[in-house]
Amino acid sequence: LAVSPLCNILNLKVLDDEGIGTEEEVVLAIDDCINMYEEGSLYAPDVMNLSLGAPDDGNPNNPLRVACRAAIEKGIWVMASAGNGGPAMSTITSPACERYVGAVGSVKYEPFQVSTWSSRGPTKEGVAKPDAVFFGEDIVVASSESDTATVAKSGTSFSTPFISGLTVLYHEGVIRRVQVETGVLPGVTEKRELVSLERMLDEGLPIICVKPQEVFAGKDYDYGYGMPWGTLVAQEMGITPAVDISYIVSIVTPFLVLGMMGMVISSMTEGFR
């Protein structure tokens, strides 16, 4: 919240303590978010994090995919974990398999390679996925053992919230610019028109993501477009550091700049195990 002070977290718990739930429960939670938008609620989320998934059946009319499309049409950005079915091909889960749901895979920190278990594309319908990747191995998170305990976890369920956080920062950056230029903080209706998830996935990611040099430069079935990289983000935002902090900027700038708006939905923390 210190980095993105306008951000609030709305947690709709759809899985039980064992990480198990039903598609219906997830759909109902997404519907609740859509209803908030239609009612003009201050709690209406702009970014939805879905660290969960089910096998892709190749059916575009799958209720979960339909619900995600409805949310995206309202202007809600939906990010979903790609799944942990790798290295086999065509293991992207639903709803990450949906064309304009941001599908996030996992990479290890050193060396910068796709995690062996991170799901690969294409989808059952031939769509190139994932869209992007982020660190997803040995991520230190809160443990249920005590109020201060932590535990290291791995999975695309843990890489996805990083990307969701970046999109939140980006939204906040856009909203702050509008506020500065107009003197008015955009309301729920106005925020829908500020930026398109479809445009970001098609036009933005290719510009701000990086891959290992030996990997195909376009979108592939392992890395997608790659990992958002701070230096590229800063360049696109027109930011010139006062000193040479290229390494720090490369790691930190996504959290400072790629930013977006106000509310994240964390529908789950442990989807895939």
Side-chain angles (χ1 to χ4, degrees), residues 30 48-53 62-73 76-82 92-105 123 127-132 160 163-164 167 197-198 200-202 205 219:
I30 295 174
M48 188 180 302
N49 184 86
L50 298 175
S51 287
L52 46 74
N62 176 284
L64 183 53
R65 292 177 59 180
V66 171
C68 286
R69 286 200 298 272
I72 294 168
E73 289 173 0
I76 302 173
W77 285 37
V78 182
M79 302 295 151
S81 46
I92 301 293
T93 54
S94 178
C97 61
E98 177 64 31
R99 176 67 183 87
Y100 287 113
V101 168
V104 184
T123 69
V127 177
K129 291 276 184 171
D131 295 295
T160 305
I163 297 295
S164 295
T167 60
L197 174 57
E198 294 91 334
M200 174 58 76
L201 293 180
D202 287 341
L205 284 181
K219 189 176 186 181

Side-chain angles (χ1 to χ4, degrees), residues 1-264:
L1 295 182
V3 174
S4 185
L6 292 182
C7 174
N8 293 292
I9 297 176
L10 179 62
N11 183 21
L12 276 66
K13 184 174 174 61
V14 296
L15 304 182
D16 62 23
D17 293 342
E18 301 300 319
I20 299 173
T22 67
E23 187 176 80
E24 181 181 10
E25 290 170 326
V26 180
V27 169
L28 289 174
I30 295 174
D31 284 343
D32 284 343
C33 296
I34 294 173
N35 290 336
M36 292 180 198
Y37 251 107
E38 293 177 341
E39 295 168 359
S41 170
L42 293 176
Y43 298 102
D46 291 88
V47 179
M48 188 180 302
N49 184 86
L50 298 175
S51 287
L52 46 74
D56 175 16
D57 59 8
N59 178 14
N61 294 317
N62 176 284
L64 183 53
R65 292 177 59 180
V66 171
C68 286
R69 286 200 298 272
I72 294 168
E73 289 173 0
K74 292 296 181 182
I76 302 173
W77 285 37
V78 182
M79 302 295 151
S81 46
N84 297 341
M89 304 290 287
S90 297
T91 50
I92 301 293
T93 54
S94 178
C97 61
E98 177 64 31
R99 176 67 183 87
Y100 287 113
V101 168
V104 184
S106 169
V107 290
K108 60 181 67 176
Y109 181 74
E110 185 67 37
F112 177 35
Q113 295 178 348
V114 173
S115 302
T116 303
W117 37 259
S118 185
S119 287
R120 270 70 164 175
T123 69
K124 300 296 184 183
E125 298 163 279
V127 177
K129 291 276 184 171
D131 295 295
V133 292
F134 212 87
F135 302 129
E137 295 195 25
D138 297 321
I139 304 301
V140 178
V141 297
S143 169
S144 60
E145 295 298 320
S146 73
D147 291 340
T148 58
T150 59
V151 64
K153 292 278 190 175
S154 297
T156 56
S157 286
F158 301 97
S159 54
T160 305
F162 283 110
I163 297 295
S164 295
L166 301 185
T167 60
V168 167
L169 287 173
Y170 174 73
H171 271 88
E172 181 166 322
V174 171
I175 288 174
R176 284 178 176 273
R177 168 174 273 181
V178 171
Q179 186 178 22
V180 168
E181 293 177 349
T182 66
V184 178
L185 186 67
V188 172
T189 301
E190 292 78 13
K191 284 189 290 187
R192 299 182 199 179
E193 308 302 324
L194 292 182
V195 67
S196 160
L197 174 57
E198 294 91 334
R199 185 175 180 183
M200 174 58 76
L201 293 180
D202 287 341
E203 302 176 22
L205 284 181
I207 298 173
I208 63 173
C209 289
V210 296
K211 297 181 180 181
Q213 291 184 350
E214 67 274 11
V215 177
F216 171 67
K219 189 176 186 181
D220 63 45
Y221 299 149
D222 297 329
Y223 291 84
Y225 286 116
M227 188 171 77
W229 200 244
T231 301
L232 297 178
V233 176
Q235 290 174 356
E236 289 304 309
M237 298 292 287
I239 295 175
T240 303
V243 295
D244 184 10
I245 54 172
S246 58
Y247 175 75
I248 298 175
V249 170
S250 295
I251 299 298
V252 177
T253 300
F255 298 93
L256 300 180
V257 180
L258 210 202
M260 296 188 172
M261 109 78 248
M263 297 197 177
V264 185

